[in-house]
Amino acid sequence: MTTNFRACALALTCLAALAAARAAAQQVATPRLDGSIELGMRGYLESVPVVQRSKLEEYRDLGAGAFLPAFWLRYWTGDGRYAVDLRARDVARGDQEYRLRAFRVGKGGLEADWGQLPHLFATNARMLGSASASSGFTLPTPRPTTADWNAAPLLAPARVRWEPARAALWAAPSSRLDLRVEYTRIGKSGERPMGMAFGSPGSNTREILEPIDQTVHTLRLTQSYAAARWQVQTAYTFSAFRNDASSVLADNPLVATNGATTGAARGRTALAPDNVAHTVNVAAAAALPLRSRVNASVSYAVHLQDVAFLPHTINSAISNPGLALPRTALGGDVRTSVIDVGAVSRALPALTLGLHFRRFDLSDRTGELVFPAHVVNDRSLATTEPEDARRFPFSRDNARAEARWTPVPALALRAEYGWERWARDTAVRDVGVTNEHTPRLAADLTPAPWLQLHASVSRAWKRGDGYTPLSDAELPLLRRFDMADRIRDRADVVVVVTPIEPVTLSGTFSARTDDYDRSVYGLQFDRGRAAGADVTWAPGPRLALSAGYLREATRVRQRSKYRQGTALDNPTFDWVSWTDDVVETLSGSVTATIVPGRLSAFATWARSRATSEWPATNPTTPAGGTAAQNTSATATNLPTLEDELTPARLMARVQLARDWSASVGFDYERLTERDFRTDGLLPATGSDIFLGAGPSGYRARVLWASIGFRPALGRARPIL
C-alpha cells in the first residue's frame, strides 16, 4: 500500500474508534474517555527536484499527499484506578512515532514505544559498477575513464533509518519499593557515504556507500527503595551491538591487477565490530540535620569485543612473514568506573553551600599486541618500525564548591570554584597530567518588579606537567589544543525588562576568550561573542507579537609551518590562518484571535545567515627554498563559505463545531549554500573518485490543510 492510502485507512479507523468511544461515553454517568485526531493533506506549489531534497528532508518525511500528524486516545476505568493511553505522531510516515501506556495509578504498569528516525545523506550521488552484499562494489575491466565516471547515473537516495522500539514494566509493591524492567532495541538499516583509500593520502581513493545493518539491544533492571530520610537505587544494564556487515569490499578505480607496488585491484575496510557491555550502578541519597542532604553514586562497566581479525591486506601480491597476526582476535576488555558524590546544606536561611566531586576512569585490560609489519592502504608494505595496538586510557576528576547568599530578596550572590584534572598515559599522549582551575562569580538582581538582571564572570587556567611530542616528524613546539596550556575568560549577561505590562524586552550578551598562551604552533587563540535581543508585545488578549535578533561570532587563530618532507625547517615558511565565523538570526511571529472561540491566525518567519572566512598570511615572506617550495609555502586565502536558511509559516485555524476544527497553512523554506569544497563536485576529481554528492540548496513552497476531531468524551485526567 502507498503511504497516502495507509494514512487514510488509519485515519478512518481512528475516527471510527473515537466516534464509538463518544457513543459509549454518553451511556454512563461519568465519561471516562478522551481523545483527538488530526488528518491533513499536503502539496507543493512547485516540485522540489530530487537532487535538492537531501537537506529539505534530512531528518523528516515531507512527502506530498495525506498525512496524519497526531492521534490520541485515553481510557479510564469507572473507579479511576486504571488507564490506557495511546498516542501517535506522523502516522504511516518515515518519521512516525507511537506510544502505548497501561497502568494502575500508584501500583505499576507497562509502556511500549516504537518509531522511525530517518537520516537522508544524499539524493545526488552517482556511481559506476554494481554492488551486492557478498561481492561489494565491483567495476568492469578495463576500469572506467574519467568521462565515464562523470557521466555516471544517479543512485537511489543514500539514507539510514533507525527504528527504536522500547518496552517497559514497572511495579510499586509498596509506597517505598519501585521495580522496573526496560528493554530497548534500535535497528539501523540503509547506507551512508564512506571513503576507501588505495594509495597515499590525496590520491587513488574512492567514495562508496557503507552498508548499514546494525542492531543495538539494551536491557536495564532497576530497583529503588525510599524511606523517610533516605533513598537507594540499584541498576544493571546489558548492552549488545550487532553488525551484520563485518567489512566492505570495493574495486580500485585505477588498478585492475594486484601489484606489490602499484596497489590492490580490490580494497577491504573493516566495519564496526560486534561488542557487549555490562554496567552496574548504585545510587543513594540521605537527608541530614541542619537542612542538609548528601547523595552519591557508583557505577562500573565492562566493555568486551572479541571479533576475529581480518588479514592485513587483500592484496595477494604482498606477502611477508611479519604479516602473520599475533592472535586471531582482539580479546578487547575495557573497564570504566564513575564515582559521583555531592552534598548541599541550607543551615542558614540566606546561605546555601554545596560540594560536588566526580571521578571517571577508563582502563584497558586488553593484552598487548605488536605487529612486526603492516600494509598501508593495501598498497605499501611497512616493516621498518613495528606497530603496537595503542590505546588511550585516562582518568578525569572534577570538583566544585559553591556558595549562594541572598542578603535581601532582590539580590542573590553566588561564588563557585571548579577544578578539573586529566591524567593520561604518556605512552600514547603528549601530556601526562593537566589541571584546570575555574573561579566564577554570579549575581541575580531584581531591583524592581519590571527589571531582572543576571551576570556572571569566570576565569579558568589550565596547565600541564610538560609536553613531549610523540613523533620526531612533528614540530617540536606544536601543542595539541586539548592538552595545551590555556587561559579562558568568560562573561555572560542577561537582562529582562517589562517597562509596561504588554511589553517584555530581553537582551543577552556573552563573551569567551581562549588564549593558548604557550602554544608557538597549533591553535593559539579562540574568541567567541554572542549578542541578541527579543521583544514581545501583547496589546490585547487577541493579539501577540514577538521579534528577535541574535549574532554569534567566532574568531580562531592557528599557526603552523610548511615543510618539504620532515627535515626542512625554514623560519620563513611559517604561516598564520584565521577562521572567522558569523551567524546572524532574525525572527518574528504574530498570533491573532480574529473571532474569539472561532477563528485564529498565526505567522512566523526567520532568517539565519552564516559565513565563514579563512584569511591566511605569512609573518615573513617565504624565501630560502626552491622557487616551487617558496610558492607552496606562500599562504593564500580560502574562498568564503556561505549559507542562508529562511523558513516561514502562515496558518489559520477555525472551530467548525464543538468537536471539529480545521486548519489551513502555507509553509515556505529556502536554503542557499556556497561551498567551494562541494560546489560542482564531479565523481572523477584528479586520481580520486567521489560519489559526486554534496549539499544542495532548495526552495520549497507547501500548501496544507488539516481537519481535527476531538469529541467531548469525558473529563481529562493527568497521566501519572
Side-chain angles (χ1 to χ4, degrees):
M1 290 188 295
T2 65
T3 298
N4 293 342
F5 184 80
R6 289 197 304 267
C8 291
L10 284 168
L12 291 174
T13 302
C14 295
L15 279 170
L18 284 175
R22 180 183 181 183
Q26 291 172 345
Q27 303 302 315
V28 296
T30 56
R32 302 184 302 274
L33 290 165
D34 201 1
S36 64
I37 185 173
E38 185 178 3
L39 175 64
M41 291 290 294
R42 177 168 49 222
Y44 288 80
L45 293 183
E46 56 189 4
S47 176
V48 180
V50 172
V51 295
Q52 296 180 1
R53 299 186 73 92
S54 60
K55 281 295 182 181
L56 174 64
E57 296 190 291
E58 186 173 11
Y59 299 108
R60 54 189 178 177
D61 183 352
L62 293 179
F67 66 98
L68 202 162
F71 172 74
W72 168 47
L73 181 63
R74 182 195 299 167
Y75 169 77
W76 287 87
T77 59
D79 55 9
R81 298 169 62 189
Y82 296 89
V84 178
D85 187 88
L86 174 63
R87 297 173 187 264
R89 185 184 69 83
D90 292 332
V91 175
R93 289 284 175 173
D95 53 357
Q96 57 193 327
E97 293 180 10
Y98 304 88
R99 185 183 189 189
L100 172 67
R101 297 190 70 194
F103 58 92
R104 179 181 176 183
V105 177
K107 291 298 183 180
L110 63 87
E111 60 185 34
D113 302 332
W114 180 82
Q116 292 181 324
L117 303 174
H119 186 178
L120 180 59
F121 290 95
T123 55
N124 56 353
R126 292 179 286 171
M127 183 191 296
L128 289 176
S130 59
S132 70
S134 58
S135 59
F137 297 88
T138 59
L139 294 170
T141 301
R143 295 296 193 243
T145 65
T146 297
D148 293 333
W149 280 109
N150 291 336
L154 285 173
L155 299 174
R159 69 176 81 228
V160 171
R161 184 176 66 191
W162 288 27
E163 295 190 15
R166 184 180 65 91
L169 292 171
W170 74 95
S174 68
S175 60
R176 295 186 174 185
L177 186 62
D178 185 48
L179 307 174
R180 186 178 182 92
V181 180
E182 182 173 317
Y183 169 73
T184 302
R185 180 190 184 277
I186 302 177
K188 307 176 185 179
S189 60
E191 53 194 11
R192 63 186 174 195
M194 67 169 287
M196 183 177 291
F198 300 92
S200 62
S203 67
N204 197 190
T205 62
R206 181 185 179 189
E207 193 174 24
I208 58 175
L209 293 172
E210 176 190 356
I212 304 296
D213 190 0
Q214 304 169 356
T215 309
V216 180
H217 302 273
T218 303
L219 176 65
R220 182 175 175 83
L221 309 176
T222 305
Q223 176 176 300
S224 302
Y225 184 84
R229 297 185 61 83
W230 59 273
Q231 303 84 40
V232 64
Q233 181 186 81
T234 60
Y236 165 75
T237 303
F238 169 79
S239 178
F241 171 79
R242 294 289 179 263
N243 191 348
D244 287 349
S246 60
S247 65
V248 61
L249 300 167
D251 282 351
N252 189 331
L254 302 183
V255 177
T257 304
N258 288 334
T261 57
T262 56
R266 307 206 79 194
R268 176 168 56 195
T269 299
L271 302 179
D274 296 352
N275 58 82
V276 298
H278 306 268
T279 304
V280 177
N281 175 266
V282 179
L288 303 177
L290 300 178
R291 301 175 64 196
S292 301
R293 186 174 181 83
V294 63
N295 57 77
S297 67
V298 178
S299 68
Y300 188 79
V302 179
H303 307 259
L304 305 173
Q305 192 267 96
D306 199 32
V307 175
F309 285 135
L310 295 174
H312 277 278
T313 180
I314 197 175
N315 190 345
S316 60
I318 299 178
S319 92
N320 185 282
L323 295 180
L325 294 170
R327 58 174 180 255
T328 59
L330 176 66
D333 183 350
V334 174
R335 311 288 178 93
T336 60
S337 62
V338 179
I339 300 175
D340 198 305
V341 180
V344 62
S345 176
R346 300 181 179 87
L348 300 177
L351 182 64
T352 301
L353 302 176
L355 290 172
H356 180 257
F357 173 79
R358 183 180 187 273
R359 178 178 177 82
F360 175 87
D361 182 81
L362 184 148
S363 63
D364 194 333
R365 301 192 179 188
T366 308
E368 183 178 5
L369 287 172
V370 177
F371 300 91
H374 64 280
V375 179
V376 180
N377 296 336
D378 288 310
R379 180 170 183 168
S380 305
L381 177 66
T383 59
T384 56
E385 184 177 348
E387 289 284 333
D388 59 341
R390 295 188 173 189
R391 299 175 181 86
F392 303 91
F394 71 93
S395 64
R396 185 178 66 197
D397 297 317
N398 293 89
R400 185 180 72 251
E402 60 181 336
R404 188 175 187 273
W405 181 42
T406 309
V408 294
L411 176 63
L413 302 175
R414 182 174 177 178
E416 181 180 304
Y417 176 79
W419 168 71
E420 181 173 84
R421 178 183 185 271
W422 285 71
R424 304 172 174 91
D425 186 346
T426 54
V428 292
R429 301 307 306 271
D430 306 273
V431 177
V433 176
T434 60
N435 285 278
E436 184 168 8
H437 305 267
T438 308
R440 179 174 177 268
L441 296 174
D444 292 290
L445 178 63
T446 309
W450 52 270
L451 177 62
Q452 300 177 46
L453 172 66
H454 169 79
S456 65
V457 293
S458 66
R459 161 163 280 211
W461 59 93
K462 182 171 71 173
R463 292 291 183 254
D465 63 349
Y467 194 100
T468 305
L470 296 177
S471 172
D472 295 336
E474 294 183 0
L475 292 169
L477 297 178
L478 173 69
R479 299 293 180 262
R480 301 182 190 277
F481 77 94
D482 62 325
M483 293 175 285
D485 293 346
R486 183 197 68 206
I487 297 176
R488 169 175 290 173
D489 294 305
R490 183 180 182 96
D492 296 274
V493 178
V494 178
V495 180
V496 179
V497 183
T498 309
I500 55 177
E501 186 174 346
V503 178
T504 300
L505 305 172
S506 63
T508 62
F509 173 78
S510 65
R512 174 192 52 80
T513 300
D514 291 351
D515 183 6
Y516 295 83
D517 55 323
R518 298 181 181 178
S519 295
V520 178
Y521 292 104
L523 182 61
Q524 296 184 311
F525 180 84
D526 184 355
R527 184 186 69 193
R529 300 288 186 268
D534 292 279
V535 57
T536 60
W537 178 37
R542 297 169 57 177
L543 180 64
L545 302 95
S546 67
Y549 173 78
L550 176 65
R551 185 180 192 274
E552 303 167 279
T554 304
R555 166 161 258 216
V556 176
R557 182 178 69 201
Q558 301 181 76
R559 185 176 184 128
S560 192
K561 179 186 292 291
Y562 168 78
R563 295 190 298 173
Q564 183 70 33
T566 60
L568 188 61
D569 189 12
N570 187 329
T572 70
F573 282 7
D574 282 12
W575 55 263
V576 176
S577 74
W578 297 84
T579 302
D580 293 313
D581 294 333
V582 177
V583 180
E584 293 183 282
T585 303
L586 182 64
S587 61
S589 68
V590 178
T591 302
T593 301
I594 301 172
V595 180
R598 285 292 183 182
L599 179 62
S600 60
F602 173 77
T604 182
W605 173 88
R607 175 181 177 270
S608 181
R609 183 174 185 269
T611 60
S612 183
E613 297 180 346
W614 298 340
T617 59
N618 297 102
T620 304
T621 302
T626 66
Q629 290 172 347
N630 293 340
T631 300
S632 297
T634 301
T636 58
N637 301 337
L638 293 176
T640 299
L641 305 182
E642 295 182 42
D643 61 71
E644 182 178 308
L645 177 64
T646 305
R649 164 168 282 196
L650 178 64
M651 64 169 288
R653 181 181 180 87
V654 58
Q655 193 70 31
L656 300 174
R658 185 186 63 173
D659 300 339
W660 295 87
S661 64
S663 300
V664 62
F666 170 73
D667 290 343
Y668 174 86
E669 193 167 296
R670 182 173 182 266
L671 174 68
T672 58
E673 293 185 318
R674 188 174 72 178
D675 189 336
F676 71 94
R677 299 167 298 182
T678 55
D679 289 344
L681 181 66
L682 295 174
T685 305
S687 58
D688 299 315
I689 303 298
F690 296 95
L691 291 170
S696 179
Y698 62 84
R699 185 182 71 170
R701 297 187 296 173
V702 184
L703 282 175
W704 58 270
S706 67
I707 187 166
F709 177 54
R710 180 170 185 175
L713 298 174
R715 62 184 185 278
R717 295 174 181 265
I719 292 295
L720 303 179

